[in-house]
Amino acid sequence: MDKYLHVSFSALGDSTRLAVVERLLQGPASVSELAEPHAMALPAFTKHLGILERAGLIRSEKQGRVRTCFVQTPAIQAIDTWLAQRRALWASRYDNLDHLMSRLNGVKNDDPAI
Amino acid sequence: MDKYLHVSFSALGDSTRLAVVERLLQGPASVSELAEPHAMALPAFTKHLGILERAGLIRSEKQGRVRTCFVQTPAIQAIDTWLAQRRALWASRYDNLDHLMSRLNGVKNDDPAI
DNA sequence: AGATAACTTAACCATATGGATAAGTATCTG
DNA sequence: CAGATACTTATCCATATGGTTAAGTTATCT
């Protein structure tokens, strides 16, 4: 599970798909409801849904002619867990501050930014 | 910042790059140190570093002939914040459980939505 | 039954991605 | 100064990605 996290990240690495997941966090929706805000033809859009579904981020069920999609929270929770397990590390890594401080100290200050 | 989150996700959507970030969470490292565990030629590897750097997930500095890389925690924190802001939503979305229960109950229960 | 709605499938296309080699550029080390 | 180190830059290549249009396939509505 934790081993294929990059698949989840990859699925979220597209603005359309990220928006779909955000929308589904509000509740289930049909394919056309989900597609409506996105300026692209349906076949392109359903490909995105396929990628999200194969990544385990969403699930869908067809009833009659309408397919309803649901967010799959375990996959999102897996990302959250990954971050939580590393939070102690990135919370203590202030390499950036080191860098910033050396600049503020006037050392080879080529970028006055900030 | 929050608007380009998919760029961060995309950068982490590759096993090599995800591993690099995990490695850098332990502390800074040179390009060749980072490349060593990955079975690919250097040019391919440095492309990955470029993607991580453009996504703002890492930073690097060259001193002499060795380039040292650092994880950029703000980008990771942005992902964490995004999840935190939506945690209430995905923590309460038990569409999956609904689904499971309707099957166990043998009921054609399509959406009892809370 | 015929029309419409809600997808699906198929075929195609341009560009991006992830890799490889080969050769080049600084920067140490002896 | 002559290597050796540590990348860089430049090409190149196969496949994946994100999009298109056209033509199905099933439901549902009138």
Side-chain angles (χ1 to χ4, degrees):
Chain A
M1 265 246 178
D2 213 4
K3 204 131 189 234
Y4 303 107
L5 240 209
H6 70 276
V7 175
S8 296
F9 280 130
S10 180
L12 294 175
D14 172 280
S15 52
T16 299
R17 294 193 295 263
L18 188 53
V20 166
V21 169
E22 295 219 50
R23 164 64 188 78
L24 287 179
L25 280 168
Q26 312 288 337
S30 71
V31 170
S32 38
E33 276 167 8
L34 290 172
E36 192 271 328
H38 304 281
M40 69 181 71
L42 247 202
F45 186 77
T46 55
K47 272 192 205 171
H48 285 301
L49 293 183
I51 289 170
L52 286 171
E53 195 154 13
R54 263 173 277 127
L57 284 159
I58 72 172
R59 174 177 59 82
S60 75
E61 250 171 61
K62 195 160 187 178
Q63 198 156 341
R65 56 183 172 172
V66 33
R67 174 175 298 280
T68 305
C69 301
F70 314 79
V71 73
Q72 283 280 60
T73 63
I76 296 182
Q77 197 146 13
I79 295 175
D80 195 48
T81 300
W82 182 81
L83 282 172
Q85 287 168 350
R86 281 143 193 87
R87 187 164 300 130
L89 292 174
W90 56 261
S92 68
R93 290 244 75 80
Y94 55 98
D95 303 332
N96 305 325
L97 295 185
D98 287 350
H99 180 239
L100 183 61
M101 282 164 66
S102 69
R103 296 212 162 192
L104 289 175
N105 290 343
V107 185
K108 203 183 89 185
N109 191 355
D110 43 39
D111 182 7
I114 304 164
Chain B
M1 266 249 178
D2 212 4
K3 205 131 187 233
Y4 303 107
L5 240 209
H6 69 277
V7 175
S8 297
F9 281 129
S10 181
L12 295 175
D14 174 278
S15 52
T16 299
R17 294 193 296 264
L18 187 53
V20 166
V21 169
E22 295 218 51
R23 164 63 188 78
L24 287 178
L25 280 168
Q26 312 288 336
S30 71
V31 170
S32 38
E33 276 167 9
L34 290 173
E36 191 271 328
H38 303 281
M40 70 181 71
L42 245 203
F45 187 76
T46 56
K47 271 194 206 171
H48 285 301
L49 293 182
I51 289 170
L52 286 171
E53 194 154 13
R54 263 172 277 128
L57 285 159
I58 73 172
R59 173 176 59 81
S60 74
E61 252 170 58
K62 194 161 187 176
Q63 200 158 337
R65 56 184 170 170
V66 35
R67 175 175 297 280
T68 305
C69 301
F70 313 80
V71 73
Q72 283 280 60
T73 62
I76 296 181
Q77 196 147 12
I79 295 175
D80 195 49
T81 300
W82 182 81
L83 283 171
Q85 287 168 348
R86 280 144 191 87
R87 187 164 302 131
L89 292 173
W90 56 261
S92 68
R93 289 243 76 80
Y94 56 97
D95 303 333
N96 306 325
L97 295 185
D98 285 351
H99 179 240
L100 184 60
M101 283 165 66
S102 70
R103 297 220 158 182
L104 290 175
N105 293 340
V107 184
K108 205 179 58 184
N109 190 351
D110 38 75
D111 188 8
I114 306 173

